[in-house]
Amino acid sequence: MNLLPDALSRLKWCRESIRYGSKKCIFSANVFILNILYPCYNVNRHQSEKTYEVMNMYKPFGRILYGGDYNPNQWPKEVWEQDMAHFKDARINSATINVFSWAKIQPSEEEYSFGELDEIVQMLSKENYDIVLATSTGAMPAWMYKKYPEVGRVDYQGRRHKFGQRHNACPNSPVFQKYAKAMAEQLAKRYGSNPHVTCWHISNEYGGECYCENCEKAFRVWLKKKYSTIEAVNKAWNLEFWGHTVYDFDEIVLPNALGDGMENGTDTAFAGLSVDYRRFMSDSMLENFKMERDAVRPYVKDVPITTNLMGTYKFLDYFKWAKEMDIVSWDNYPSYNTPWSFTAMSHDLMRGLKDAPFMLMEQTPSQQNWQPYNSLKKPGQMRAQSLQTVAHGADTVQFFQLRRSVGGCEKFHGAVIGHVGHNNTRVFREVKQLGEELERLGTSILGSANKADVGIIFDWDNYWALEYTSGPTEDLTYVNQIHQYYQYFYNKNIGVNMIPVDADFSKYKIVVAPVLYMVKEGMKEALTEFVKNGGILITTFMSGLVNESDNVHLGGYPGPLRELAGIWVEEIDALAPEQTNTVIFSDGTKVTCDLLCDLMHLEGAECLASYEENFYAGMPAIARNQFGKGCTYYLGTNMNQEGIAKVLDLATQSAGVMPVIDEQTELEVTCRKTENCTYYFVFNFKEQVLALPECFADCMDLLTGETVHAGKKLKQYDAYLFAVTV
Ligand code: GLA
Ligand code: ZN
């Protein structure tokens, strides 16, 4: 499949940036400080122990925030005034400031300098902006590295990084923690009572990893807490394999290239260890977030605190993170060839994290700079993309950024005001048009919900473990598998919730669990209960294979799902990219499959389709098992969309799952609901002109005030919003 999801390319980008760091290791300089500071580790780690209730923010803002990242500090004052005039013209009502200003507002260890930030806050307050105030800790000042090199990360190759780039503080550095916390507190004290500061934004795009000695020591503490004894660690990771038995926690080393990591980090000798490292790293950064959040909270009681997430970004367990955030916010940067269904899925995932509306913290109004090909958004595309975001649950539309940088690697990143400096541009006109429309729309949609009968399980532990696994194929990617199933529902305009493994499955008619490789404790029971009570479970090859430590569930695949699925998988064949097989359904339909083929036996299930080629021709490929009042569909191979649709059609029909409108259309139609109103968002993301469904004839578009007539033709990127009162 030729899909390069944004998350993957971003990951690559992050990794590249980490790789282009210092070539010299400077461990020795840190040994002293590490040993001195390490005993403080526990103290520092728990500085956020005083916890505050996370707010349940269904409707945190009084209007749709429209604006984005704004860095007036990078510009002379006369430009600020022009900006205010331009932004007012575009109906911009919000600015995210101070994202990377740490060096400016704390020029040295002892000195804060808030003069310029005061002026920025004053200016925006005067203009009645909703200010999203960032804590600036996403990039550390040079003085901090100079005096305390430990704040820099050690990369996968074992190299300690010097001052440079951003998003690269060692999360377990007590020095970083101390200064980040102090900064967050200083800001909150100073600006917390300003009623125009309506959102706090901690750091920026947390992510990456660190393999320094502080992290290694912290990892051992984390493991001790999780496993208590070294014997339990040996057992969990199956360290008897390759004679890796350890006798003390201080024998455990981080799994990078110098330890058990393999293939530049994509593989590992011990997935149990590496998955635990991922959990630990995600937790470590979450502790950083909580620490700053708790430093801010006492000064901003009713104001939401967030940090910007990155969709399907791999390294952080966002379901766990979201529990600590008042509201989820995220940055949406699709590539020129990212399918619209993939973007929709990413929004649904971000909404699913708290099952609540979210903020679109960033998107470009025109083009990115960091992707291989930074195509322009075509006329109308930014508008449609923004409205799609709102359709899937966003209550804000924010850009990166409001004025295009003069220098640095993002100088060719799109912005509301470009290098020309005035507003007579295509991009500005489109931003203004959308601003006017959102203003017209008002506040009615804020807090409205996206309802769904279908839940698709997304699980970060599974994501990590599945992709660490050595064999049977290296071409299996978790997010692409999830997307293939999501796409079916998207094409049919059937609403989907992306759900965690511990969701309340009883809320759904169908639960889809593609490549549910890791089945953790309690899941078998939860899924069994769901199906027994009439639910439909759809699962696939590479499911039910391991437990939460990546050890195989013995006794035949798919382990804990075997009885539910009514099958036994004896072997798994891997097909190389040039190989395929054919699946033939009982009605004679043939579809192509590739990647992996389960060789399965029926144990109560009925065969819906079987293989046509290879030595396992005639063996079942797709099975359905009646279980209690419900049933399980098991797809033993990777079929094309036609094959997936054939199975999912059966499931949706029998479950009585309906699209949001009865008419079949290639338009995207997505719904948000309040108690007494249903909002229908209609989009044409296809190149061809498509007719508006009959059911919207004579409805009024809330964005433009236009009444649309039957048979109206929609061009690519046309978007409408209709309200139906119930
Ligand atoms: C991220 C960051 C921003 C900016 C944009 C550019 O989302 O948060 O600071 O670098 O990418 O696309
Ligand atoms: Zn570290």
Side-chain angles (χ1 to χ4, degrees), residues 147-175:
K147 182 149 182 210
Y148 308 105
E150 64 146 293
V151 299
R153 287 185 187 170
V154 169
D155 67 16
Y156 183 77
Q157 311 300 338
R159 304 171 303 186
R160 166 79 70 187
H161 283 230
K162 293 187 179 180
F163 172 56
Q165 303 184 38
R166 61 174 184 171
H167 305 159
N168 51 9
C170 164
N172 289 299
S173 153
V175 173

PDB file of all heavy atoms in Angstrom, residues 147-175:
ATOM      1  N   LYS A 147      25.700  24.983  31.238  1.00  0.00           N
ATOM      2  CA  LYS A 147      25.994  24.709  32.641  1.00  0.00           C
ATOM      3  C   LYS A 147      25.626  23.273  33.042  1.00  0.00           C
ATOM      4  O   LYS A 147      26.292  22.665  33.875  1.00  0.00           O
ATOM      5  CB  LYS A 147      25.238  25.709  33.508  1.00  0.00           C
ATOM      6  CG  LYS A 147      25.523  25.540  34.976  1.00  0.00           C
ATOM      7  CD  LYS A 147      25.446  26.829  35.731  1.00  0.00           C
ATOM      8  CE  LYS A 147      25.793  26.597  37.192  1.00  0.00           C
ATOM      9  NZ  LYS A 147      25.103  27.537  38.045  1.00  0.00           N
ATOM     10  N   TYR A 148      24.573  22.751  32.439  1.00  0.00           N
ATOM     11  CA  TYR A 148      24.074  21.414  32.842  1.00  0.00           C
ATOM     12  C   TYR A 148      23.863  20.531  31.604  1.00  0.00           C
ATOM     13  O   TYR A 148      22.730  20.331  31.163  1.00  0.00           O
ATOM     14  CB  TYR A 148      22.733  21.525  33.561  1.00  0.00           C
ATOM     15  CG  TYR A 148      22.701  22.497  34.720  1.00  0.00           C
ATOM     16  CD1 TYR A 148      22.075  23.740  34.582  1.00  0.00           C
ATOM     17  CD2 TYR A 148      23.280  22.160  35.942  1.00  0.00           C
ATOM     18  CE1 TYR A 148      22.026  24.625  35.652  1.00  0.00           C
ATOM     19  CE2 TYR A 148      23.235  23.040  37.010  1.00  0.00           C
ATOM     20  CZ  TYR A 148      22.610  24.278  36.865  1.00  0.00           C
ATOM     21  OH  TYR A 148      22.554  25.155  37.914  1.00  0.00           O
ATOM     22  N   PRO A 149      24.941  20.032  31.044  1.00  0.00           N
ATOM     23  CA  PRO A 149      24.792  19.247  29.800  1.00  0.00           C
ATOM     24  C   PRO A 149      23.796  18.090  29.922  1.00  0.00           C
ATOM     25  O   PRO A 149      23.258  17.628  28.927  1.00  0.00           O
ATOM     26  CB  PRO A 149      26.203  18.722  29.535  1.00  0.00           C
ATOM     27  CG  PRO A 149      27.098  19.633  30.287  1.00  0.00           C
ATOM     28  CD  PRO A 149      26.333  20.129  31.486  1.00  0.00           C
ATOM     29  N   GLU A 150      23.522  17.648  31.134  1.00  0.00           N
ATOM     30  CA  GLU A 150      22.578  16.531  31.317  1.00  0.00           C
ATOM     31  C   GLU A 150      21.181  16.821  30.791  1.00  0.00           C
ATOM     32  O   GLU A 150      20.401  15.901  30.575  1.00  0.00           O
ATOM     33  CB  GLU A 150      22.441  16.161  32.802  1.00  0.00           C
ATOM     34  CG  GLU A 150      21.842  17.292  33.611  1.00  0.00           C
ATOM     35  CD  GLU A 150      20.950  16.830  34.760  1.00  0.00           C
ATOM     36  OE1 GLU A 150      19.857  16.246  34.538  1.00  0.00           O
ATOM     37  OE2 GLU A 150      21.338  17.079  35.892  1.00  0.00           O
ATOM     38  N   VAL A 151      20.834  18.089  30.587  1.00  0.00           N
ATOM     39  CA  VAL A 151      19.484  18.390  30.102  1.00  0.00           C
ATOM     40  C   VAL A 151      19.290  17.928  28.651  1.00  0.00           C
ATOM     41  O   VAL A 151      18.170  17.727  28.200  1.00  0.00           O
ATOM     42  CB  VAL A 151      19.107  19.890  30.225  1.00  0.00           C
ATOM     43  CG1 VAL A 151      19.129  20.328  31.675  1.00  0.00           C
ATOM     44  CG2 VAL A 151      20.000  20.771  29.348  1.00  0.00           C
ATOM     45  N   GLY A 152      20.402  17.761  27.936  1.00  0.00           N
ATOM     46  CA  GLY A 152      20.322  17.275  26.551  1.00  0.00           C
ATOM     47  C   GLY A 152      20.086  15.771  26.545  1.00  0.00           C
ATOM     48  O   GLY A 152      20.457  15.067  27.481  1.00  0.00           O
ATOM     49  N   ARG A 153      19.488  15.292  25.492  1.00  0.00           N
ATOM     50  CA  ARG A 153      19.207  13.849  25.435  1.00  0.00           C
ATOM     51  C   ARG A 153      20.394  13.045  24.927  1.00  0.00           C
ATOM     52  O   ARG A 153      21.247  13.569  24.211  1.00  0.00           O
ATOM     53  CB  ARG A 153      18.028  13.582  24.484  1.00  0.00           C
ATOM     54  CG  ARG A 153      16.718  14.001  25.069  1.00  0.00           C
ATOM     55  CD  ARG A 153      15.564  13.611  24.171  1.00  0.00           C
ATOM     56  NE  ARG A 153      14.343  14.185  24.717  1.00  0.00           N
ATOM     57  CZ  ARG A 153      13.170  14.206  24.085  1.00  0.00           C
ATOM     58  NH1 ARG A 153      13.055  13.691  22.870  1.00  0.00           N
ATOM     59  NH2 ARG A 153      12.115  14.734  24.647  1.00  0.00           N
ATOM     60  N   VAL A 154      20.368  11.759  25.249  1.00  0.00           N
ATOM     61  CA  VAL A 154      21.288  10.805  24.626  1.00  0.00           C
ATOM     62  C   VAL A 154      20.448  10.011  23.631  1.00  0.00           C
ATOM     63  O   VAL A 154      19.363   9.524  23.964  1.00  0.00           O
ATOM     64  CB  VAL A 154      21.928   9.892  25.693  1.00  0.00           C
ATOM     65  CG1 VAL A 154      22.664   8.735  25.039  1.00  0.00           C
ATOM     66  CG2 VAL A 154      22.884  10.701  26.559  1.00  0.00           C
ATOM     67  N   ASP A 155      20.945   9.908  22.412  1.00  0.00           N
ATOM     68  CA  ASP A 155      20.117   9.308  21.360  1.00  0.00           C
ATOM     69  C   ASP A 155      20.272   7.790  21.284  1.00  0.00           C
ATOM     70  O   ASP A 155      21.005   7.176  22.065  1.00  0.00           O
ATOM     71  CB  ASP A 155      20.364   9.990  20.009  1.00  0.00           C
ATOM     72  CG  ASP A 155      21.764   9.726  19.468  1.00  0.00           C
ATOM     73  OD1 ASP A 155      22.450   8.795  19.946  1.00  0.00           O
ATOM     74  OD2 ASP A 155      22.180  10.459  18.549  1.00  0.00           O
ATOM     75  N   TYR A 156      19.615   7.229  20.321  1.00  0.00           N
ATOM     76  CA  TYR A 156      19.591   5.779  20.154  1.00  0.00           C
ATOM     77  C   TYR A 156      20.993   5.204  19.966  1.00  0.00           C
ATOM     78  O   TYR A 156      21.291   4.084  20.385  1.00  0.00           O
ATOM     79  CB  TYR A 156      18.691   5.446  18.961  1.00  0.00           C
ATOM     80  CG  TYR A 156      18.541   3.968  18.740  1.00  0.00           C
ATOM     81  CD1 TYR A 156      17.700   3.213  19.557  1.00  0.00           C
ATOM     82  CD2 TYR A 156      19.258   3.318  17.740  1.00  0.00           C
ATOM     83  CE1 TYR A 156      17.590   1.847  19.381  1.00  0.00           C
ATOM     84  CE2 TYR A 156      19.142   1.952  17.551  1.00  0.00           C
ATOM     85  CZ  TYR A 156      18.311   1.218  18.370  1.00  0.00           C
ATOM     86  OH  TYR A 156      18.192  -0.133  18.200  1.00  0.00           O
ATOM     87  N   GLN A 157      21.869   6.010  19.337  1.00  0.00           N
ATOM     88  CA  GLN A 157      23.248   5.551  19.125  1.00  0.00           C
ATOM     89  C   GLN A 157      24.116   5.756  20.367  1.00  0.00           C
ATOM     90  O   GLN A 157      25.276   5.394  20.371  1.00  0.00           O
ATOM     91  CB  GLN A 157      23.903   6.333  17.962  1.00  0.00           C
ATOM     92  CG  GLN A 157      23.079   6.428  16.692  1.00  0.00           C
ATOM     93  CD  GLN A 157      22.763   5.074  16.092  1.00  0.00           C
ATOM     94  OE1 GLN A 157      23.452   4.088  16.360  1.00  0.00           O
ATOM     95  NE2 GLN A 157      21.704   5.004  15.285  1.00  0.00           N
ATOM     96  N   GLY A 158      23.564   6.405  21.371  1.00  0.00           N
ATOM     97  CA  GLY A 158      24.335   6.630  22.593  1.00  0.00           C
ATOM     98  C   GLY A 158      25.051   7.971  22.611  1.00  0.00           C
ATOM     99  O   GLY A 158      25.935   8.195  23.439  1.00  0.00           O
ATOM    100  N   ARG A 159      24.704   8.880  21.714  1.00  0.00           N
ATOM    101  CA  ARG A 159      25.397  10.172  21.644  1.00  0.00           C
ATOM    102  C   ARG A 159      24.659  11.230  22.458  1.00  0.00           C
ATOM    103  O   ARG A 159      23.460  11.431  22.265  1.00  0.00           O
ATOM    104  CB  ARG A 159      25.491  10.644  20.192  1.00  0.00           C
ATOM    105  CG  ARG A 159      26.166   9.642  19.296  1.00  0.00           C
ATOM    106  CD  ARG A 159      26.053  10.051  17.845  1.00  0.00           C
ATOM    107  NE  ARG A 159      24.665  10.226  17.429  1.00  0.00           N
ATOM    108  CZ  ARG A 159      24.293  10.479  16.179  1.00  0.00           C
ATOM    109  NH1 ARG A 159      25.212  10.593  15.244  1.00  0.00           N
ATOM    110  NH2 ARG A 159      23.029  10.625  15.867  1.00  0.00           N
ATOM    111  N   ARG A 160      25.381  11.918  23.304  1.00  0.00           N
ATOM    112  CA  ARG A 160      24.780  13.010  24.081  1.00  0.00           C
ATOM    113  C   ARG A 160      24.656  14.240  23.181  1.00  0.00           C
ATOM    114  O   ARG A 160      25.634  14.659  22.558  1.00  0.00           O
ATOM    115  CB  ARG A 160      25.665  13.320  25.283  1.00  0.00           C
ATOM    116  CG  ARG A 160      25.389  14.607  25.991  1.00  0.00           C
ATOM    117  CD  ARG A 160      24.194  14.554  26.933  1.00  0.00           C
ATOM    118  NE  ARG A 160      24.503  13.732  28.100  1.00  0.00           N
ATOM    119  CZ  ARG A 160      23.609  13.399  29.033  1.00  0.00           C
ATOM    120  NH1 ARG A 160      22.355  13.817  28.921  1.00  0.00           N
ATOM    121  NH2 ARG A 160      23.965  12.636  30.046  1.00  0.00           N
ATOM    122  N   HIS A 161      23.482  14.794  23.112  1.00  0.00           N
ATOM    123  CA  HIS A 161      23.287  15.960  22.251  1.00  0.00           C
ATOM    124  C   HIS A 161      23.606  17.261  22.953  1.00  0.00           C
ATOM    125  O   HIS A 161      23.412  17.396  24.155  1.00  0.00           O
ATOM    126  CB  HIS A 161      21.848  15.975  21.715  1.00  0.00           C
ATOM    127  CG  HIS A 161      21.678  14.982  20.604  1.00  0.00           C
ATOM    128  ND1 HIS A 161      21.108  15.288  19.407  1.00  0.00           N
ATOM    129  CD2 HIS A 161      22.065  13.679  20.516  1.00  0.00           C
ATOM    130  CE1 HIS A 161      21.130  14.210  18.626  1.00  0.00           C
ATOM    131  NE2 HIS A 161      21.702  13.221  19.283  1.00  0.00           N
ATOM    132  N   LYS A 162      24.082  18.188  22.117  1.00  0.00           N
ATOM    133  CA  LYS A 162      24.419  19.516  22.635  1.00  0.00           C
ATOM    134  C   LYS A 162      23.238  20.452  22.428  1.00  0.00           C
ATOM    135  O   LYS A 162      22.189  20.046  21.954  1.00  0.00           O
ATOM    136  CB  LYS A 162      25.611  20.062  21.867  1.00  0.00           C
ATOM    137  CG  LYS A 162      26.892  19.321  22.079  1.00  0.00           C
ATOM    138  CD  LYS A 162      27.984  20.093  21.378  1.00  0.00           C
ATOM    139  CE  LYS A 162      29.325  19.435  21.548  1.00  0.00           C
ATOM    140  NZ  LYS A 162      30.363  20.199  20.857  1.00  0.00           N
ATOM    141  N   PHE A 163      23.467  21.710  22.695  1.00  0.00           N
ATOM    142  CA  PHE A 163      22.437  22.722  22.470  1.00  0.00           C
ATOM    143  C   PHE A 163      22.026  22.700  20.998  1.00  0.00           C
ATOM    144  O   PHE A 163      22.856  22.685  20.111  1.00  0.00           O
ATOM    145  CB  PHE A 163      23.009  24.101  22.827  1.00  0.00           C
ATOM    146  CG  PHE A 163      22.112  25.245  22.462  1.00  0.00           C
ATOM    147  CD1 PHE A 163      20.811  25.309  22.937  1.00  0.00           C
ATOM    148  CD2 PHE A 163      22.574  26.266  21.629  1.00  0.00           C
ATOM    149  CE1 PHE A 163      19.974  26.374  22.599  1.00  0.00           C
ATOM    150  CE2 PHE A 163      21.744  27.330  21.287  1.00  0.00           C
ATOM    151  CZ  PHE A 163      20.442  27.377  21.775  1.00  0.00           C
ATOM    152  N   GLY A 164      20.740  22.694  20.769  1.00  0.00           N
ATOM    153  CA  GLY A 164      20.270  22.740  19.388  1.00  0.00           C
ATOM    154  C   GLY A 164      18.875  22.172  19.279  1.00  0.00           C
ATOM    155  O   GLY A 164      18.405  21.448  20.164  1.00  0.00           O
ATOM    156  N   GLN A 165      18.204  22.547  18.225  1.00  0.00           N
ATOM    157  CA  GLN A 165      16.863  22.052  17.928  1.00  0.00           C
ATOM    158  C   GLN A 165      15.878  22.262  19.095  1.00  0.00           C
ATOM    159  O   GLN A 165      16.014  23.222  19.859  1.00  0.00           O
ATOM    160  CB  GLN A 165      16.934  20.614  17.459  1.00  0.00           C
ATOM    161  CG  GLN A 165      17.856  20.517  16.236  1.00  0.00           C
ATOM    162  CD  GLN A 165      17.918  19.154  15.656  1.00  0.00           C
ATOM    163  OE1 GLN A 165      16.925  18.460  15.602  1.00  0.00           O
ATOM    164  NE2 GLN A 165      19.092  18.771  15.185  1.00  0.00           N
ATOM    165  N   ARG A 166      14.915  21.391  19.243  1.00  0.00           N
ATOM    166  CA  ARG A 166      13.862  21.617  20.252  1.00  0.00           C
ATOM    167  C   ARG A 166      13.199  20.280  20.604  1.00  0.00           C
ATOM    168  O   ARG A 166      13.539  19.259  20.007  1.00  0.00           O
ATOM    169  CB  ARG A 166      12.815  22.580  19.690  1.00  0.00           C
ATOM    170  CG  ARG A 166      12.161  21.986  18.439  1.00  0.00           C
ATOM    171  CD  ARG A 166      11.023  22.810  17.903  1.00  0.00           C
ATOM    172  NE  ARG A 166      10.417  22.128  16.778  1.00  0.00           N
ATOM    173  CZ  ARG A 166       9.300  22.515  16.196  1.00  0.00           C
ATOM    174  NH1 ARG A 166       8.671  23.573  16.613  1.00  0.00           N
ATOM    175  NH2 ARG A 166       8.813  21.839  15.181  1.00  0.00           N
ATOM    176  N   HIS A 167      12.260  20.310  21.491  1.00  0.00           N
ATOM    177  CA  HIS A 167      11.547  19.101  21.913  1.00  0.00           C
ATOM    178  C   HIS A 167      12.540  18.010  22.298  1.00  0.00           C
ATOM    179  O   HIS A 167      12.360  16.854  21.965  1.00  0.00           O
ATOM    180  CB  HIS A 167      10.643  18.552  20.778  1.00  0.00           C
ATOM    181  CG  HIS A 167       9.665  19.541  20.244  1.00  0.00           C
ATOM    182  ND1 HIS A 167       9.094  19.411  19.003  1.00  0.00           N
ATOM    183  CD2 HIS A 167       9.148  20.665  20.794  1.00  0.00           C
ATOM    184  CE1 HIS A 167       8.265  20.429  18.797  1.00  0.00           C
ATOM    185  NE2 HIS A 167       8.281  21.209  19.864  1.00  0.00           N
ATOM    186  N   ASN A 168      13.606  18.395  22.971  1.00  0.00           N
ATOM    187  CA  ASN A 168      14.645  17.397  23.209  1.00  0.00           C
ATOM    188  C   ASN A 168      15.251  17.480  24.605  1.00  0.00           C
ATOM    189  O   ASN A 168      16.423  17.164  24.787  1.00  0.00           O
ATOM    190  CB  ASN A 168      15.731  17.503  22.133  1.00  0.00           C
ATOM    191  CG  ASN A 168      16.233  18.914  21.967  1.00  0.00           C
ATOM    192  OD1 ASN A 168      15.893  19.790  22.759  1.00  0.00           O
ATOM    193  ND2 ASN A 168      17.053  19.153  20.957  1.00  0.00           N
ATOM    194  N   ALA A 169      14.443  17.857  25.565  1.00  0.00           N
ATOM    195  CA  ALA A 169      14.944  17.824  26.941  1.00  0.00           C
ATOM    196  C   ALA A 169      14.898  16.386  27.441  1.00  0.00           C
ATOM    197  O   ALA A 169      13.957  15.649  27.143  1.00  0.00           O
ATOM    198  CB  ALA A 169      14.058  18.685  27.835  1.00  0.00           C
ATOM    199  N   CYS A 170      15.895  15.991  28.215  1.00  0.00           N
ATOM    200  CA  CYS A 170      15.806  14.683  28.867  1.00  0.00           C
ATOM    201  C   CYS A 170      14.688  14.774  29.900  1.00  0.00           C
ATOM    202  O   CYS A 170      14.752  15.586  30.829  1.00  0.00           O
ATOM    203  CB  CYS A 170      17.127  14.336  29.552  1.00  0.00           C
ATOM    204  SG  CYS A 170      16.877  12.987  30.730  1.00  0.00           S
ATOM    205  N   PRO A 171      13.677  13.936  29.760  1.00  0.00           N
ATOM    206  CA  PRO A 171      12.531  14.074  30.664  1.00  0.00           C
ATOM    207  C   PRO A 171      12.872  13.727  32.109  1.00  0.00           C
ATOM    208  O   PRO A 171      12.163  14.113  33.023  1.00  0.00           O
ATOM    209  CB  PRO A 171      11.514  13.074  30.099  1.00  0.00           C
ATOM    210  CG  PRO A 171      12.314  12.098  29.305  1.00  0.00           C
ATOM    211  CD  PRO A 171      13.497  12.851  28.780  1.00  0.00           C
ATOM    212  N   ASN A 172      13.964  12.994  32.302  1.00  0.00           N
ATOM    213  CA  ASN A 172      14.323  12.605  33.662  1.00  0.00           C
ATOM    214  C   ASN A 172      15.473  13.418  34.226  1.00  0.00           C
ATOM    215  O   ASN A 172      16.084  13.022  35.224  1.00  0.00           O
ATOM    216  CB  ASN A 172      14.630  11.102  33.706  1.00  0.00           C
ATOM    217  CG  ASN A 172      13.357  10.294  33.544  1.00  0.00           C
ATOM    218  OD1 ASN A 172      12.446  10.402  34.356  1.00  0.00           O
ATOM    219  ND2 ASN A 172      13.265   9.540  32.457  1.00  0.00           N
ATOM    220  N   SER A 173      15.764  14.525  33.589  1.00  0.00           N
ATOM    221  CA  SER A 173      16.793  15.395  34.132  1.00  0.00           C
ATOM    222  C   SER A 173      16.193  16.248  35.247  1.00  0.00           C
ATOM    223  O   SER A 173      15.292  17.050  35.010  1.00  0.00           O
ATOM    224  CB  SER A 173      17.334  16.310  33.023  1.00  0.00           C
ATOM    225  OG  SER A 173      17.824  17.497  33.592  1.00  0.00           O
ATOM    226  N   PRO A 174      16.686  16.092  36.462  1.00  0.00           N
ATOM    227  CA  PRO A 174      16.166  16.926  37.554  1.00  0.00           C
ATOM    228  C   PRO A 174      16.379  18.415  37.279  1.00  0.00           C
ATOM    229  O   PRO A 174      15.585  19.239  37.703  1.00  0.00           O
ATOM    230  CB  PRO A 174      16.972  16.467  38.766  1.00  0.00           C
ATOM    231  CG  PRO A 174      17.439  15.095  38.414  1.00  0.00           C
ATOM    232  CD  PRO A 174      17.658  15.111  36.932  1.00  0.00           C
ATOM    233  N   VAL A 175      17.456  18.740  36.560  1.00  0.00           N
ATOM    234  CA  VAL A 175      17.696  20.160  36.251  1.00  0.00           C
ATOM    235  C   VAL A 175      16.604  20.680  35.319  1.00  0.00           C
ATOM    236  O   VAL A 175      15.996  21.727  35.567  1.00  0.00           O
ATOM    237  CB  VAL A 175      19.090  20.349  35.597  1.00  0.00           C
ATOM    238  CG1 VAL A 175      19.252  21.785  35.121  1.00  0.00           C
ATOM    239  CG2 VAL A 175      20.183  19.965  36.561  1.00  0.00           C
TER     240      VAL A 175
END
